[in-house]
Amino acid sequence: MGRALIIGAGGVASVVVHKCCQNPDVFEEICIASRTLEKCDALKHKLEGGSTKISTAKIDADKSEEVAALIHAFKPDIVINVALPYQDLSIMDACLATGVHYLDTANYEPPDLAKFEYSWQWAYRERFEKAGLIAVLGCGFDPGVTGVFSAHAMKHHFDEIHEIDILDANAGDHGYPFATNFNPEINIREITANGRYWENGQWVETPPLSEKRVYDFPEIGPKDMYLLYHEELESLAQNVKGLKRIRFWMTFSERYLTHLHVLENVGMTSIEPIEIQGIRISPLQFLKAVLPDPASLGPRTKGKTNIGCIYKGMKDGKPKTYYVYNVCVHEECYAEVGSQAISYTTGVPAMIGAMMVLKGLWNKPGVHNVEEFEPDPFMEALNMHGLPWKDTFEPNLVD
Ligand code: NDP
C-alpha cells in the first residue's frame, strides 16, 4: 500500500520499524534513516527477510535539504519522525518542499529553550493545508493515544466534557539505581520544568513536582503521582469544547526523585552549555552520555505501565465519569519487539497513525493533533496491534 521514511533509530524507532514490518500489507517498503548509520543497519539486519522491503540511509535531520534529498531519492508517502523534537521543523519543511505527509510523537523544541508548546508547528497549518498534505502531531501514547481516547470519549460517551485527568504510571523496574525510560535529555527537561494545568480558561503554574497524589491504579496498585505540564494539555484545552480543567499526572518513585534532586542540586540537569577544555556542552547532554541508554533497558525491565484518561462531564443531562486506559507489560513488549513498554507504547501508536494516513482513514489536510481525527479506526487498531484498552464508568477520581 505505501512507503514510509522512518527518521531516527533509537528506542521508539526500533518499535516503529518492528510494527511496520508486522504489517507489510500497509508498509510495503520502509527506509530507516538516522544520524548513526550502524543503528539503522542493525535494525535492518534484525528485520529483513519479511515482506516489507527495508533500506537505510545516513542523515542529519537538522538539515532540511538533506531530508528533502532523501525524500526525493526514496519517494515515501509519509515521513515518520521518531528522531528528537529538535528536528521537527526541519523535517516538516522538507515534507512541504517535497509534497509528503508527516507524523511525529513530540512537539518541536528549540535546543536551547525548554518550552513544550505547539506554536512553532501550528504556524505550519496553512502551508500544509494549501499543499493538501497531512501533518499528524504528537502521535505516541501521551501525547497521542491520550488524544484519541479524548476524541473517543467526546464522540461516544459525553455531550460535554468538563474535566480531564491524564494518568501515566510506570511500575516497571530496570534494576538500575537511576535511569530514564526514554531520551534522558527530553525526560529530565520535562520533569524539572514547572508544573502547569489548565483551569477555567487559564493556565495555573505550580513549582516542579509540588502537587502529589496517591492513586490506586488498575492492575498496578497505589502509586505516588505528581502533576506535570505535558504538551497534550495545550491542544486538548483547545479541542475539547466546554472543558473546565485538564491536568496531567505521572508516577515517580522516591528513589528516582532523590537522584533527580541531587543531580539538580549539583547543576547536572541544566541545558545551559558550559565550556570544559575548549568543548562546549550542556551538563544535561553530558548526563545523557553517562546514563544507561534507554534502548538497553528492555531486557532488564519488569512490571507494568498503565496510561489512561479520566473524564468528568455530562451525558443526556446527567453527570457522568469515564476512565479509559491501557496496561502494558514490559516483559511482553520485550519478548515481542526487543524493547521495554515506554518505547513500545510510543512506537505502536506512531505506526498506527501512519497506517491511518496511508489507508486514507485520516485524510484531513493541515497540521493536526490526533484528537482532531476520527478515533474509531485508531481505537480498533490499538486492540489489534498490541495496546488493548479497557474502560470503566466508575473510576476512582483524582481529588
Ligand atoms: P532516542 O534518543 O532513543 O532516539 C533518537 C534517535 O534520533 C537516535 O537514533 C538519534 O541518532 C536520532 N537523531 C538525533 N538527532 C538526529 C539528527 N539530527 N538527525 C538524524 N537523526 C537524529 O529517543 P527515543 O527513541 O526514546 O525517542 C524518540 C522520540 O519519541 C523523541 O522525540 C521523544 O520525545 C518521543 N517520545 C514520545 C513519547 C510519547 O508518548 N508521545 C514518549 C517517549 C518518547 P543517534 O543514534 O545518532 O543518537
Side-chain angles (χ1 to χ4, degrees), residues 172-285:
D173 184 6
H174 44 60
Y176 285 117
F178 184 79
T180 62
N181 291 305
F182 67 97
N183 186 284
E185 209 179 318
I186 308 294
N187 192 208
I188 291 174
R189 276 171 69 153
E190 187 172 87
I191 299 164
T192 54
N194 273 345
R196 201 169 3 138
Y197 64 98
W198 193 84
E199 191 165 41
N200 297 325
Q202 58 188 20
W203 292 105
V204 182
E205 218 160 277
T206 57
L209 306 173
S210 58
E211 285 289 316
K212 175 185 167 185
R213 304 281 190 282
V214 179
Y215 191 82
D216 193 0
F217 286 88
E219 299 182 44
I220 282 185
K223 288 271 160 210
D224 293 346
M225 63 180 192
Y226 296 82
L227 187 141
L228 295 186
Y229 180 68
H230 221 241
E231 62 204 61
E232 67 262 53
L233 301 185
E234 186 185 13
S235 69
L236 287 169
Q238 292 196 12
N239 291 328
V240 179
K241 300 293 167 239
L243 193 64
K244 296 190 171 85
R245 185 177 72 187
I246 179 163
R247 302 179 295 188
F248 182 96
W249 305 89
M250 193 178 267
T251 63
F252 298 106
S253 67
E254 236 176 273
R255 188 171 69 173
Y256 182 92
L257 291 181
T258 305
H259 277 82
L260 189 67
H261 287 319
V262 172
L263 290 167
E264 257 188 304
N265 287 343
V266 298
M268 282 305 298
T269 59
S270 165
I271 58 171
E272 207 54 53
I274 52 164
E275 192 170 315
I276 306 172
Q277 296 172 352
I279 296 166
R280 277 180 71 73
I281 185 161
S282 77
L284 187 51
Q285 276 175 312

Side-chain angles (χ1 to χ4, degrees), residues 10-20 337 339-340 343-344 346-348:
V12 176
S14 168
V15 177
V16 173
V17 170
H18 274 84
K19 284 295 181 178
C20 288
V337 300
S339 302
Q340 32 79 350
S343 302
Y344 191 89
T346 310
V348 171

Side-chain angles (χ1 to χ4, degrees), residues 9-12 35-36 39 60-62 83 85 87 105 141-143 183 346:
V12 176
R35 191 164 55 182
T36 311
K39 288 195 191 172
D60 179 356
D62 287 323
Q87 282 82 52
T105 64
F141 206 105
D142 45 343
N183 186 284
T346 310

